[in-house]
Amino acid sequence: MSSQDVLQDASTLASYNVLLQVMFRALTFVMNAFTLRFVSKELIGVVNVRLMLLYSTLVFLSREAFRRACLSGGSGPGRSWRQTLNLLWLTLPLGVLWGSLLVCVWLWLLEAPDPQAVPHYGPAVGVFALASLVELLGEPLWVLAQAHLLVRLKLGAESLALGAKCLFTVGLVVLAPQGGLYIFSAAQLVYTGCLVLCYLIYFVRFVGSEEANRKGFPIKTVGALLPRSAPGEPAVDWALARLTWSFFKQSFLKQLLTEGERYVMTFLSVLSFGDQGVYDIVNNLGSMVARFLFLPIEESFYVFFSKVLRRGGDARSQKQEDVSVAAEVLESLLKLVVVVGMVITVFGYAYSHLALDLYGGTLLSAGAGPILLRVYSGYVLLLAVNGITECFVFAAMSQEELDRYNGVMLALSVSFLLLSYLLTGWLGAVGFILANCLNMALRILHSLLYIQRYFQASPWGPLRGLRPSLALLLALALSAVVTALSESMFCCSSGWPLRLVHVAVGAVCLSGVLLTVLLTETRLVAFVRTQLRPGTRGKRT
């Protein structure tokens, strides 16, 4: 498969992933806004911080390293999918070990919430751990689908699972609000069960079909999806296993950095469960665009860079056509996330108070919520750039470089946790976001230095994507001033007519910024039109 074909498939995958995340976030946005009217902020804090941290930690540590390693090898004919699937099935026993340890910590080492305010904490911990293990059952199928770019499968499976979870949660919150943690625990189990069931049904029907044979799908029978051995051949590819181990050491540190503020809140009790609930809601609102736009692009183009580039070499040692395509794609991706991130930073400042008031009423807008969301709007820009730069770096690094980078991640993890604790004691919840900003800036710096060395003796300079046009910078600066003045004059305590005026001012400013992008960032516009729209054929920008 040529680099252009890989780019086309990766672009299609990114487009459908973005669509999926938009739908995912829209549904959860509506569901959370609805449930806020029926449950306490203490319950939201326990579910969204304490229990979801258990879930994300167990799942991430059990599968992330396997995902990255097993997707690095592509899906070419020289690959042994039997050995790869055997390796992937190890995520389940690893999950059982992690689950046993984490459940003990969550039940007996952490402070339990007040049973009068948030009952049923113990059973909820067990159900969330069980939901994590159920999701790990589908990991081999997920990797197969991702490696062979079965994008509609992921879209359909996660859509159905999310829909079932939302309907289940909203129905029980309305009919039996006294259920508390039982509702959210059962809803999480419904989600993972539906997700795995969708993947299973698809592959049972797909494997061995005419469509699978036409696409050259390597698995010929349903039984071949299960772990099995072959005479005279190792059960797993040991080179792939060693790469998995390198990623595992890195994933442990990455999880600390990704969920660092939740670990500090959970283990050091620097905020009450109610304050944790408010912070988590603001965090979810602030990261909405990052999660539904940046993360799917990062995941999809990691597959692209992994297939096009050979690990461990620089630009001179690679096939030049492939490096050219990779450099152009990296430059366009950097320009895309910088432009989107700057727009979010500028308009997030002036519209944070209004957004929180509409979403959760005075529960969110009366306290520190607007300040948190404004600071988070700036953090989104760093989050976006880091995602794309690390996406390239992790796809290009050799195993030895990955091992060395683990030391960098360890230092960053320790400094981040220390900064989070100190800044939170000084500035409250804002300290979490500022610590994240500093940590993200250091990670970006490391990645930029690697990319600069990678391309230094080549004619390509993908880091040019970090420099927007001067006209766009001026348009954003003018919009920042105008929308800030509009907020001070029209929002948010003077009634709906003046709020609508404030919204109209923002719409006009945003239209001007988008028009400037269309006129001055022509290469970026061409890239989005040809590579990130579902149904278009990828081609070189």
Side-chain angles (χ1 to χ4, degrees):
M1 184 180 287
S2 69
S3 58
Q4 291 294 329
D5 290 332
V6 175
L7 174 57
Q8 174 190 345
D9 290 340
S11 301
T12 303
L13 179 61
S15 301
Y16 280 108
N17 276 346
V18 169
L19 178 62
L20 173 65
Q21 290 296 324
V22 169
M23 182 193 61
F24 182 94
R25 289 291 153 184
L27 280 175
T28 53
F29 182 87
V30 173
M31 184 186 74
N32 288 337
F34 180 80
T35 54
L36 277 174
R37 274 68 179 175
F38 293 88
V39 300
S40 66
K41 60 182 181 180
E42 286 77 16
L43 179 62
I44 293 294
V46 172
V47 172
N48 289 356
V49 177
R50 176 71 64 86
L51 295 178
M52 287 305 297
L53 180 63
L54 169 64
Y55 172 81
S56 66
T57 302
L58 201 165
V59 170
F60 190 91
L61 294 181
S62 300
R63 76 181 183 192
E64 180 67 13
F66 292 88
R67 280 189 172 186
R68 287 193 172 273
C70 293
L71 288 173
S72 296
S75 56
R79 177 173 197 164
S80 171
W81 274 103
R82 183 193 61 78
Q83 292 179 321
T84 301
L85 289 174
N86 286 346
L87 185 64
L88 285 167
W89 277 111
L90 292 177
T91 57
L92 186 59
L94 182 61
V96 172
L97 291 176
W98 276 118
S100 301
L101 174 63
L102 292 174
V103 165
C104 292
V105 171
W106 256 246
L107 287 179
W108 295 307
L109 293 184
L110 298 180
E111 176 190 1
D114 182 1
Q116 298 299 320
V118 186
H120 319 307
Y121 173 71
V125 169
V127 175
F128 266 83
L130 177 61
S132 304
L133 297 180
V134 170
E135 184 164 347
L136 292 177
L137 285 171
E139 189 60 21
L141 305 181
W142 186 93
V143 171
L144 269 176
Q146 193 82 351
H148 293 87
L149 301 171
L150 302 176
V151 292
R152 290 177 178 84
L153 168 59
K154 181 177 180 180
L155 178 65
E158 297 201 13
S159 301
L160 290 173
L162 176 63
K165 177 182 177 180
C166 289
L167 290 174
F168 187 90
T169 303
V170 171
L172 287 186
V173 164
V174 173
L175 298 176
Q178 69 278 4
L181 290 180
Y182 281 140
I183 296 175
F184 294 93
S185 303
Q188 191 66 25
L189 192 57
V190 167
Y191 171 78
T192 57
C194 288
L195 187 65
V196 173
L197 186 61
C198 288
Y199 274 91
L200 181 60
I201 292 174
Y202 179 88
F203 277 102
V204 167
R205 295 171 61 90
F206 179 73
V207 171
S209 67
E210 292 183 5
E211 181 186 1
N213 294 331
R214 187 172 62 253
K215 292 182 176 180
F217 193 68
I219 308 300
K220 303 304 179 184
T221 65
V222 174
L225 295 170
L226 300 174
R228 59 194 180 95
S229 59
E233 188 176 318
V236 298
D237 182 342
W238 290 107
L240 196 61
R242 287 190 292 272
L243 182 60
T244 302
W245 174 242
S246 296
F247 276 123
F248 177 78
K249 292 182 288 185
Q250 187 185 101
S251 66
F252 185 82
L253 299 173
K254 185 177 181 181
Q255 176 67 3
L256 282 178
L257 293 172
T258 303
E259 301 280 13
E261 68 272 14
R262 285 180 169 83
Y263 287 115
V264 172
M265 283 188 283
T266 297
F267 287 90
L268 300 180
S269 301
V270 293
L271 297 176
S272 67
F273 284 113
D275 291 339
Q276 291 179 28
V278 172
Y279 174 82
D280 183 75
I281 293 169
V282 171
N283 179 66
N284 286 335
L285 283 174
S287 65
M288 185 177 293
V289 176
R291 292 179 186 273
F292 78 64
L293 177 62
F294 301 143
L295 183 59
I297 291 175
E298 177 188 344
E299 290 178 346
S300 302
F301 282 94
Y302 173 79
V303 176
F304 164 72
F305 290 129
S306 296
K307 289 185 176 183
V308 169
L309 301 176
R310 189 182 73 254
R311 286 189 176 277
D314 59 11
R316 293 172 297 177
S317 63
Q318 308 277 351
K319 186 178 177 182
Q320 294 304 291
E321 179 186 357
D322 292 345
V323 175
S324 174
V325 175
E328 291 176 2
V329 169
L330 179 59
E331 180 180 347
S332 297
L333 290 175
L334 287 174
K335 180 63 67 68
L336 173 65
V337 298
V338 166
V339 170
V340 175
M342 293 180 70
V343 169
I344 293 171
T345 299
V346 167
F347 289 90
Y349 180 87
Y351 290 88
S352 293
H353 190 284
L354 179 60
L356 289 177
D357 193 59
L358 293 175
Y359 187 63
T362 56
L363 174 70
L364 300 180
S365 63
I371 298 175
L372 287 174
L373 192 53
R374 284 170 180 152
V375 178
Y376 203 101
S377 298
Y379 172 58
V380 167
L381 175 60
L382 298 175
L383 196 66
V385 174
N386 178 72
I388 296 301
T389 54
E390 284 195 348
C391 161
F392 177 87
V393 168
F394 290 159
M397 277 183 169
S398 66
Q399 182 176 331
E400 292 74 20
E401 288 172 323
L402 286 170
D403 288 337
R404 288 197 298 270
Y405 185 60
N406 290 335
V408 176
M409 295 283 278
L410 177 61
L412 288 173
S413 300
V414 173
S415 62
F416 168 69
L417 294 176
L418 181 60
L419 272 174
S420 295
Y421 180 72
L422 294 176
L423 291 177
T424 304
W426 180 31
L427 300 171
V430 174
F432 281 126
I433 304 176
L434 294 179
N436 269 312
C437 288
L438 181 58
N439 164 66
M440 206 61 65
L442 293 175
R443 288 168 65 177
I444 290 171
L445 177 62
H446 178 274
S447 297
L448 292 182
L449 292 175
Y450 181 91
I451 295 171
Q452 181 66 32
R453 290 195 304 269
Y454 190 92
F455 288 100
Q456 64 182 354
S458 73
W460 302 287
L463 296 184
R464 289 191 300 265
L466 294 172
R467 300 195 297 267
S469 66
L470 178 60
L472 178 57
L473 292 176
L474 291 175
L476 287 168
L478 179 61
S479 296
V481 173
V482 171
T483 54
L485 290 174
S486 173
E487 183 186 34
S488 65
M489 295 172 61
F490 305 123
C491 192
C492 289
S493 58
S494 302
W496 271 105
L498 291 182
R499 288 187 180 191
L500 292 176
V501 172
H502 181 47
V503 172
V505 170
V508 172
C509 290
L510 180 59
S511 299
V513 169
L514 294 179
L515 180 61
T516 306
V517 171
L518 290 174
L519 295 176
T520 63
E521 301 291 354
T522 53
R523 292 187 63 189
L524 172 61
V525 174
F527 176 79
V528 172
R529 285 176 174 171
T530 58
Q531 306 299 346
L532 294 181
R533 290 173 58 193
T536 57
R537 178 172 180 81
K539 56 186 176 183
R540 191 178 302 184
T541 56

